[in-house]
Amino acid sequence: MSIPTNTRLLSGKPPILKAPAGATDCHMHLYLPGYESQPGGPNIAELATVSDYQQVQKWLSLERVVVTQSNAYQFDNRAILQGVKEIGQERARAIVAVAPDASEAQIESLHAQGARGARIMQLPGGAVGIAELAAVEKCVRPFGWHLMVQFNGREIDSYMTTLKAIETDYIIDHIGKFMPPVAADDARVDQMLSLLDRGNAWIKICGGYETSLTGGPDYADVDPIAKRLIQHAPERVIWGSNWPHVGVPREHYPDDADQLDVLLHWADENVRQKILVDNPAELYGF
């Protein structure tokens, strides 16, 4: 089937935040021509190519990127890896879907192509859920990979035992993705802080628009959670644009400059340097 070309805006008003050298987008997706959605995943509404994203990069003054497996592709990682190849591994890495019975040779091949993490998606459409997390971790741990874990933060009680057992690094995605947001002093936010205190958990500031009920550009209901997480462990926070925003209807797409500018309200200049440059460099080996 033919997938329509991109019609999203790829430039606009410049962000207020002047991104530092080496600024990294740690979460975005590509939809390339020739790669169709797979059974179990959502349809692909339109393409999002490397050329498209490079215009967004220029708009936001970003230099490095982590291409993240899309639910649409399920276990077909070819488009993600093709994107990394086109961009070049000096500026790009990949997060891929890994089957719980993946062989060492398969992981080695993915690693050579720029993969550095495995996606665990405990939400509808995910290729690999938390029930398979331990098996996936066993596959990727020898290669120094991390796990990228997304779930509804309101349900963290159900996942704490599994998360505490993780030995490799792992990212809690989308500001904990509390759906809907909770108060910053909620016990479930406390649990996320306790995971950060164990030393191998990271938080990604990304996709606040997917959970906020008050809306952008300030996301007043997500704001207190984000600030508390950042203040607690600024050395283990990263940021992502979540471009091209396929998790929400077209009329709810956020402004990409606003997605970067939210850091002006959530972190000072020194912490923004960590979030955008230093922390991604440590996690991804840039």
Side-chain angles (χ1 to χ4, degrees), residues 39-114:
N43 290 329
I44 301 171
E46 57 187 59
L47 297 176
T49 66
V50 169
S51 177
D52 293 332
Y53 180 69
Q54 286 174 333
Q55 294 182 62
V56 176
Q57 276 189 310
K58 183 177 180 180
W59 173 17
L60 304 183
S61 297
L62 303 173
E63 294 183 16
R64 299 165 179 165
V65 64
V66 180
V67 185
T68 301
Q69 178 264 3
S70 166
N71 292 333
Y73 291 132
Q74 296 290 291
F75 289 103
D76 183 357
N77 294 303
R78 293 177 300 158
I80 291 90
L81 298 172
Q82 176 62 30
V84 171
K85 182 179 180 180
E86 291 182 26
I87 298 167
Q89 287 190 39
E90 69 278 3
R91 294 189 295 113
R93 298 285 187 271
I95 302 295
V96 295
V98 173
D101 60 351
S103 68
E104 181 177 346
Q106 288 172 323
I107 305 300
E108 188 172 15
S109 174
L110 293 168
H111 188 89
Q113 296 175 79

Side-chain angles (χ1 to χ4, degrees), residues 30-238:
L30 291 173
Y31 300 93
L32 304 186
Y35 300 95
E36 308 290 347
S37 60
Q38 299 297 306
N43 290 329
I44 301 171
E46 57 187 59
L47 297 176
T49 66
V50 169
S51 177
D52 293 332
Y53 180 69
Q54 286 174 333
Q55 294 182 62
V56 176
Q57 276 189 310
K58 183 177 180 180
W59 173 17
L60 304 183
S61 297
L62 303 173
E63 294 183 16
R64 299 165 179 165
V65 64
V66 180
V67 185
T68 301
Q69 178 264 3
S70 166
N71 292 333
Y73 291 132
Q74 296 290 291
F75 289 103
D76 183 357
N77 294 303
R78 293 177 300 158
I80 291 90
L81 298 172
Q82 176 62 30
V84 171
K85 182 179 180 180
E86 291 182 26
I87 298 167
Q89 287 190 39
E90 69 278 3
R91 294 189 295 113
R93 298 285 187 271
I95 302 295
V96 295
V98 173
D101 60 351
S103 68
E104 181 177 346
Q106 288 172 323
I107 305 300
E108 188 172 15
S109 174
L110 293 168
H111 188 89
Q113 296 175 79
R116 293 297 183 270
R119 193 176 196 197
I120 306 295
M121 181 66 166
Q122 188 64 22
L123 292 172
V128 186
I130 284 180
E132 299 164 309
L133 183 153
V136 171
E137 184 197 0
K138 184 178 180 180
C139 292
V140 305
R141 190 190 311 145
F143 292 84
W145 287 20
H146 63 270
L147 305 175
M148 178 189 291
V149 188
Q150 188 170 153
F151 54 87
N152 184 347
R154 282 179 168 261
E155 300 171 355
I156 194 171
D157 284 343
S158 301
Y159 311 131
M160 284 297 287
T161 298
T162 300
L163 296 172
K164 286 180 178 179
I166 298 174
E167 296 181 12
T168 190
D169 283 340
Y170 67 100
I171 298 164
I172 298 174
D173 221 346
H174 283 41
I175 324 174
K177 202 155 192 175
F178 292 94
M179 299 186 295
V182 298
D185 60 357
D186 189 278
R188 289 161 291 193
V189 179
D190 292 341
Q191 287 176 298
M192 287 196 179
L193 299 185
S194 74
L195 293 172
L196 289 170
D197 288 341
R198 296 173 67 87
N200 64 329
W202 300 65
I203 287 286
K204 187 189 298 159
I205 302 302
C206 180
Y209 63 89
E210 290 190 345
T211 61
S212 176
L213 300 181
T214 60
D218 56 348
Y219 307 110
D221 49 355
V222 175
D223 171 283
I225 303 169
K227 285 179 176 175
R228 190 174 180 211
L229 292 168
I230 292 169
Q231 290 169 4
H232 192 80
E235 73 283 357
R236 274 178 283 117
V237 179
I238 57 178

Side-chain angles (χ1 to χ4, degrees), residues 14-37:
I16 299 170
L17 192 159
K18 304 302 181 184
T24 307
D25 183 349
C26 290
H27 192 116
M28 53 75 68
H29 306 284
L30 291 173
Y31 300 93
L32 304 186
Y35 300 95
E36 308 290 347
S37 60

